Amino acid sequence: MFTAIIRTHGTAGRPVTAGTLQRIHATVRAALNAAARRGLIDRNPARHVELPRGRRPHAVVWTPPRIAQWHATGERPQVAVWTAAQTATFLHEIRDHRLYLLFHLVALLGLRRGEVIGLRWSDVDLEAGYLTVSHQIRQVGSTIEVGKPKSEASNRVIALDHATINLLRRHHDTLFGVPVGYLFLNGLGQPIRPDALTRLFRLLNTRSGLPPIRLHDLRHGAASLSLAAGNDLKTVQDMLGHASIVLTADTYTSVLPSLARQSAEATARLVLDAARTTGTRLRTPRRRHRTATRRPVTAGRRTSHTISAA
């Protein structure tokens, strides 16, 4: 079964990751375990299946060398994010699109795809300046379902900045009467389908001329930019709705080179300042001691004190 999945998707140019295979295996194993408990089968044939271990891919930033490599070979990282400048460029390029606000919320607040298209006006408090993530829209095959967020931690309240509040107010004012229901609708006045949003983002990304990322990578970018702006891991964890701060740290702290540079500079500053202070303390007593025992300098000859001072 798994061999067939790998072969089929590989032929179609959409290779299946180890993580996806692990999730498929978990679902199949659970179903077969239930069948075995009911006596429908003697044993679970998926119990001893060995699959490659799935490792969470680390996001990397689209630096100039990576962009050059992509242009030359078409090679792209599995998970990549834009810099602050690249993100700003994308938002500028789509400023007139009717779903600009949706992408703004993903890029700055790190909302998941299902969370942002599932936002309702009742989830937004423009006076208090926050929005609540209480449910999401997900797609199962061709069926659209409204359900709870991904985890308990995903049910969260996110503070809004003034620029985002102003954008939400303008969006609010374009609607007739008191808006109810979902913030974002398709051309038929229905909630946006997750797969349609993914296709739209891919098209807008291509038109912008920026290096390619996935829609979910906008969420990764929001986390990375928040860290680069000086927010601590706990703040970013709460914004993303992660159940564990370890996941936040493991996924995002190594994304932007500027974070590593800031850390390196801070460490170097600490060591150099300490060395400067220590060096002063070591030299001062020696200088005083030698001044007290110094002999007259003979012309054309240096004393041992002069040599050590040099």
Side-chain angles (χ1 to χ4, degrees):
M1 170 185 171
F2 292 100
T3 302
I5 292 174
I6 294 171
R7 184 182 299 115
T8 300
H9 283 75
T11 304
R14 300 189 304 272
V16 181
T17 65
T20 299
L21 291 174
Q22 291 286 349
R23 288 190 289 273
I24 295 172
H25 179 242
T27 302
V28 172
R29 186 175 57 188
L32 292 176
N33 279 336
R37 285 193 299 269
R38 295 178 183 180
L40 301 176
I41 56 176
D42 295 332
R43 61 186 181 84
N44 186 345
R47 190 172 186 178
H48 302 293
V49 172
E50 294 186 2
L51 294 172
R53 290 186 175 275
R55 294 184 178 180
R56 185 184 306 114
H58 286 277
V60 298
V61 70
W62 271 117
T63 57
R66 285 197 179 98
I67 295 175
Q69 178 76 5
W70 167 60
H71 281 306
T73 66
E75 178 185 339
R76 53 179 290 186
Q78 187 174 354
V79 180
V81 300
W82 288 328
T83 63
Q86 290 164 343
T87 303
T89 297
F90 175 75
L91 293 175
H92 177 75
E93 289 294 323
I94 67 167
R95 63 192 182 280
D96 296 325
H97 195 279
R98 68 180 189 85
L99 291 180
Y100 169 87
L101 176 59
L102 182 152
F103 294 112
H104 175 98
L105 293 176
V106 177
L108 271 67
L109 304 183
L111 295 178
R112 296 181 177 92
R113 178 181 66 173
E115 294 171 348
V116 72
I117 61 179
L119 278 177
R120 296 171 296 187
W121 284 107
S122 57
D123 299 322
V124 180
D125 190 329
L126 295 177
E127 297 302 322
Y130 67 84
L131 64 78
T132 302
V133 177
S134 59
H135 62 281
Q136 65 171 337
I137 291 179
R138 58 175 176 261
Q139 186 171 342
V140 181
S142 59
T143 305
I144 303 300
E145 299 178 351
V146 180
K148 295 181 179 180
K150 184 177 181 180
S151 66
E152 194 61 37
S154 298
N155 195 326
R156 62 200 187 276
V157 176
I158 303 178
L160 303 173
D161 60 275
H162 290 298
T164 301
I165 292 174
N166 289 335
L167 286 171
L168 283 164
R169 286 191 190 281
R170 285 205 291 271
H171 184 48
H172 179 281
D173 294 341
T174 61
L175 306 175
F176 297 104
V178 178
V180 294
Y182 295 100
L183 265 72
F184 307 110
L185 301 170
N186 62 21
L188 301 176
Q190 300 170 342
I192 298 171
R193 294 177 60 90
D195 58 351
L197 183 62
T198 296
R199 289 194 298 271
L200 173 61
F201 176 75
R202 195 176 297 134
L203 176 63
L204 294 175
N205 184 174
T206 301
R207 288 177 178 175
S208 71
L210 291 165
I213 65 171
R214 304 170 306 162
L215 175 58
H216 194 71
D217 293 337
L218 269 188
R219 170 176 160 85
H220 289 312
S224 305
L225 295 174
S226 183
L227 287 168
N231 294 317
D232 58 39
L233 276 174
K234 179 59 179 173
T235 299
V236 177
Q237 177 198 357
D238 292 341
M239 179 184 76
L240 296 174
H242 280 165
S244 167
I245 199 169
V246 175
L247 172 61
T248 311
D250 185 49
T251 307
Y252 299 112
T253 51
S254 62
V255 174
L256 293 180
S258 59
L259 292 178
R261 280 200 302 273
Q262 290 168 12
S263 176
E265 292 291 348
T267 303
R269 250 191 332 268
L270 179 66
V271 173
L272 291 174
D273 289 347
R276 219 169 2 247
T277 302
T278 305
T280 300
R281 289 175 179 169
L282 288 174
R283 283 195 300 268
T284 301
R286 286 183 183 176
R287 199 174 286 131
R288 287 177 180 173
H289 174 73
R290 288 178 178 174
T291 300
T293 58
R294 186 172 57 184
R295 298 184 222 172
V297 179
T298 305
R301 179 184 171 191
R302 293 183 178 181
T303 65
S304 59
H305 169 77
T306 306
I307 293 173
S308 59

